[in-house]
Amino acid sequence: MSENDATRTPSSKAGRHAAIEQILSTRAVTSQSELREALEEMGIFAAQATLSRDLLEVRATKVRDPQGRQIYALSDRAPRAEWGEEGAEQKLQRWSQDLLVGAATADNIAVLRTPAGAANLLGAAIDSSRDETVLGSVAGDDTIMVVCTSAGAAEDFCNKLLGYAEGTKANEA
């Protein structure tokens, strides 16, 4: 979460787990004390023993990053070099190209259309991209509502996904 993010995360077990997953997905964390500091920045306070249990429960393990440092990573993700923003953005590009059939905006909401049964796939790619202008998304059967930080951000987000659907590469958008 960015410093400007107005989303509050509860200190509950589920909230801690979601925060830990978000932290480990967006930055290299080398120790439990570093993780505890990152959580405290989010207003979540946990004892070391609680963090140890949480790391086990979210299936985080230590792996070597490309620089040779040992960092925590979630077991269903590759090391940071492969699961950073670029990888998530490429996934969003691929799913947009395969599934997006239409996009429109209403104020700060982007409304995306997919074939029946495909909205969750594209919605998951949107969520994992961690776009700073996206506050959240809700996917139904063939429609996704993406709440953005502003009307301009919603328009830009639609244009980006439509560009992906038309074959524009992630680094060109």
Side-chain angles (χ1 to χ4, degrees):
M1 292 185 186
S2 68
E3 292 177 13
N4 298 331
D5 193 346
T7 304
R8 294 181 6 194
T9 303
S11 295
S12 65
K13 182 177 181 177
R16 275 193 328 272
H17 284 192
I20 289 168
E21 289 173 352
Q22 191 267 324
I23 290 166
L24 297 182
S25 295
T26 57
R27 67 171 107 163
V29 176
T30 59
S31 67
Q32 287 186 16
S33 61
E34 189 177 334
L35 177 60
R36 184 174 43 236
E37 289 172 13
L39 287 169
E40 288 174 0
E41 290 171 11
M42 298 171 73
I44 299 173
F45 299 89
Q48 187 274 328
T50 301
L51 280 183
S52 291
R53 279 191 305 275
D54 288 343
L55 287 166
L56 286 172
E57 290 169 358
V58 300
R59 297 176 43 211
T61 58
K62 285 262 188 152
V63 298
R64 288 213 184 271
D65 71 2
Q67 292 78 35
R69 299 177 300 168
Q70 289 224 337
I71 62 169
Y72 282 103
L74 299 172
S75 63
D76 63 339
R77 292 180 174 90
R80 182 173 172 77
E82 288 126 37
W83 54 248
E85 289 181 24
E86 182 180 24
E89 198 67 21
Q90 288 171 340
K91 179 180 172 185
L92 179 59
Q93 177 185 349
R94 179 172 42 93
W95 283 123
S96 295
Q97 199 167 27
D98 291 347
L99 302 174
L100 186 65
V101 297
T105 60
D107 293 323
N108 68 321
I109 298 173
V111 180
L112 310 173
R113 301 298 304 240
T114 70
N120 279 312
L121 293 171
L122 182 55
I126 290 167
D127 291 344
S128 67
S129 75
R130 303 277 184 208
D131 187 308
E132 290 184 3
T133 65
V134 173
L135 298 174
S137 66
V138 179
D141 182 54
D142 65 354
T143 305
I144 306 163
M145 287 183 24
V146 182
V147 180
C148 297
T149 55
S150 68
E155 188 69 33
D156 291 345
F157 189 72
C158 278
N159 288 338
K160 177 173 84 169
L161 294 190
L162 287 168
Y164 288 168
E166 294 167 359
T168 305
K169 295 204 183 306
N171 58 5
E172 295 174 5

